[in-house]
């Protein structure tokens, strides 16, 4: 078995002028430095994500679910992943509609896999968005990681693609250590005892 876990870093914002790719690039560098992951960045701005859904939930027909062809790269990345990091801003005390659409078009892809969060925003640093995401992903039987990263006032807290706080890399390592442990534990569990439907 490969000692490294497949990590999908999801860029949640599709807004013009978004800051998400800057944050995701830094997070990806931290994950590669950590050494426990094969890293793939998935940018939702490059994925076809209609808001209108088929009449049947993917919970009941996930393998044959009628997803748009432009969604295939996202579906494949979610399927390959042993773990996720969701990079999200906060819009009106919650997370972007693009993330909700990406979640709702899938179901078993999240099941029994760990999800960590890196958020950014104003005074709250995106924490309201994360709280809402934790509720949604728990419904899909994902395991959310307690220690996340939050960047309040990101527009003054970053420079040259990096956070100014020198402790940020240490916080990222804590997140990644926890994510790697859960990724290993849950991958073993999925292989030996698949999660019941």
């Amino acid at each position: 078995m490969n000692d490294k876990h497949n990590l999908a870093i999801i860029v949640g914002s599709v807004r013009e002028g978004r800051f998400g790719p800057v944050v995701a690039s830094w997070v990806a560098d931290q994950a590669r430095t950590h050494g426990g992951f094969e890293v793939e960045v998935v940018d939702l701005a490059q994925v076809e994500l209609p808001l209108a859904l088929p009449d049947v939930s993917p919970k009941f027909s996930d393998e044959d679910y009628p997803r748009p062809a432009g969604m295939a790269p996202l579906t494949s990345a979610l399927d390959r992943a042993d773990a996720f990091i969701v990079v999200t801003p906060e819009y009106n005390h919650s997370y972007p509609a693009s993330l909700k659409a990406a979640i709702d078009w899938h179901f078993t892809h999240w099941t029994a896999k760990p999800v960590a969060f890196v958020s950014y925003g104003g005074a709250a640093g995106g924490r309201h968005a994360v709280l809402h995401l934790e509720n949604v992903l728990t419904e899909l039987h994902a395991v959310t990681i307690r220690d996340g990263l939050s960047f309040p006032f990101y527009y003054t807290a970053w420079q040259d693609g990096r956070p100014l706080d020198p402790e940020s890399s240490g916080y990222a390592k804590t997140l990644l250590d926890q994510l790697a442990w859960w990724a290993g534990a849950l991958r073993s569990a999925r292989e030996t005892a698949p999660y019941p439907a």
Side-chain angles (χ1 to χ4, degrees), residues 13 15 88-97 120-133 154:
S13 175
R15 176 179 279 179
T88 183
E90 182 175 313
Y91 295 163
N92 303 318
H93 275 213
S94 195
Y95 58 93
Y120 58 97
R127 285 298 301 161
H128 298 107
V130 170
L131 289 172
H132 290 181
L133 281 164
Y154 69 92

Side-chain angles (χ1 to χ4, degrees), residues 4-77:
K4 291 190 176 185
H5 308 293
N6 292 322
L7 171 63
I9 299 174
I10 301 171
V11 184
S13 175
V14 300
R15 176 179 279 179
E16 272 189 49
R18 66 214 166 106
F19 192 66
V22 176
V23 179
S25 178
W26 179 82
V27 170
D29 287 344
Q30 300 299 305
R32 292 184 186 104
T33 299
H34 180 274
F37 302 96
E38 296 288 351
V39 179
E40 180 176 9
V41 176
V42 182
D43 188 344
L44 295 187
Q46 299 172 0
V47 176
E48 184 181 354
L49 281 174
L51 296 181
L53 295 164
D55 61 350
V56 177
S57 167
K59 176 179 182 179
F60 302 110
S61 59
D62 210 38
E63 295 303 317
D64 301 315
Y65 202 57
R67 298 182 181 92
M71 195 179 292
L74 170 64
T75 303
S76 295

Side-chain angles (χ1 to χ4, degrees), residues 97-121:
S98 48
L99 265 176
K100 189 64 165 69
I103 292 167
D104 288 348
W105 274 100
H106 300 86
F107 195 92
T108 58
H109 301 78
W110 309 102
T111 300
K113 296 181 181 180
V115 186
F117 302 98
V118 178
S119 63
Y120 58 97

Side-chain angles (χ1 to χ4, degrees), residues 120-191:
Y120 58 97
R127 285 298 301 161
H128 298 107
V130 170
L131 289 172
H132 290 181
L133 281 164
E134 287 172 339
N135 282 335
V136 171
L137 288 162
T138 296
E139 175 66 16
L140 304 183
H141 303 291
V143 175
T144 59
I145 304 304
R146 188 197 70 177
D147 286 67
L149 273 170
S150 176
F151 294 102
F153 303 114
Y154 69 92
Y155 32 83
T156 59
W158 285 63
Q159 187 173 20
D160 300 325
R162 303 182 60 80
L164 294 174
D165 183 350
E167 301 296 321
S168 295
S169 291
Y171 297 141
K173 184 179 184 308
T174 298
L175 178 156
L176 291 161
D177 285 346
Q178 291 188 11
L179 193 61
W181 187 90
W182 278 105
L186 291 171
R187 183 166 69 180
S188 296
R190 290 194 308 274
E191 289 171 353

